[in-house]
Amino acid sequence: MTQPEIRAVQGDITTIEVDAIVNAANNAMRGGGGVDGAIHRAGGPAILADCIDRFPDGLATGDAGWTTAGDLPAKWVIHTVGPNHAAGQTDRSLLTSCYRRSLEVADELGAESVAFPLISAGIYGWPKDDAIRAGLETVAAADTQVDTVLFVAFDAATHQQIEYQLNR
Ligand code: AR6
């Protein structure tokens, strides 16, 4: 059993040079707002084309699947669908499943480094402190060949919150 090294970084996930970045997508997998919109904008149309091709029916909540990363520095985008807390999906196992399934997909790809955004913590309204805890504890307990996992926060305050939980 190997566990990855976990680090917190601040910035725009589309610029991070890792093997795979994770997208907080929706069930349809045809783009959206937040980090999803940023990834499709920065990666170009190849990502949407691959989503349509490989996921004609989209993805279930809690599941993950990969596409090309198009023009991004990463090799792959791993799309995962977090629970929409704001719409009443409060089953935490769906959120932890996103992290676990994303790392399983990373293992299928042979990705050694993976960057996650805070899944469900934006438009989907999962309370941020618990979204951080769910991500960190699931990755820390995962049995994966991935050796480095970055948690990417868009803003300084969130980055500090992640650092705090990581170091306690
Ligand atoms: N880099 C890193 N983090 C980011 C970036 C970025 N470029 N942009 C936003 N974040 P969200 P969700 C942070 O709303 O809550 C979309 O429409 C953001 O501050 O992107 O899972 C999808 O299509 C927050 O902490 O994802 C779905 O419909 C985190 O990423 C829905 O939103 C997640 O916020 C998914 O909502």
Side-chain angles (χ1 to χ4, degrees):
M1 173 121 169
T2 20
Q3 268 109 27
E5 182 197 344
I6 302 175
R7 294 205 304 255
V9 298
Q10 190 195 338
D12 177 351
I13 200 167
T14 64
T15 67
I16 308 274
E17 299 192 14
V18 283
D19 289 340
I21 66 167
V22 177
N23 181 21
N26 56 52
N27 297 116
M29 277 185 93
R30 299 295 179 263
V35 72
D36 193 8
I39 286 171
H40 280 275
R41 270 194 305 279
I47 298 179
L48 178 60
D50 219 12
C51 282
I52 292 168
D53 198 34
R54 303 196 64 249
F55 301 94
D57 302 318
L59 264 180
T61 304
D63 202 0
W66 64 272
T67 66
T68 176
D71 300 329
L72 298 175
K75 294 186 196 134
W76 301 284
V77 175
I78 297 172
H79 306 261
T80 190
V81 184
N84 187 345
H85 194 285
Q89 293 181 327
T90 56
D91 180 353
R92 196 172 188 267
S93 70
L94 291 172
L95 182 55
T96 56
S97 172
C98 289
Y99 288 91
R100 206 166 16 252
R101 282 289 303 131
S102 294
L103 290 176
E104 285 172 9
V105 172
D107 280 337
E108 286 168 27
L109 292 165
E112 293 178 353
S113 52
V114 176
F116 281 95
L118 274 187
I119 297 158
S120 290
I123 293 164
Y124 281 177
W126 201 281
K128 198 180 281 179
D129 215 48
D130 192 54
I132 295 170
R133 196 172 308 117
L136 290 179
E137 73 191 18
T138 305
V139 172
D143 184 6
T144 175
Q145 299 307 308
V146 174
D147 60 37
T148 308
V149 170
L150 305 182
F151 278 84
V152 183
F154 212 22
D155 60 277
T158 305
H159 175 244
Q160 274 179 8
Q161 266 179 284
I162 299 172
E163 284 277 18
Y164 176 75
Q165 286 203 28
L166 198 51
N167 295 317
R168 51 198 298 217

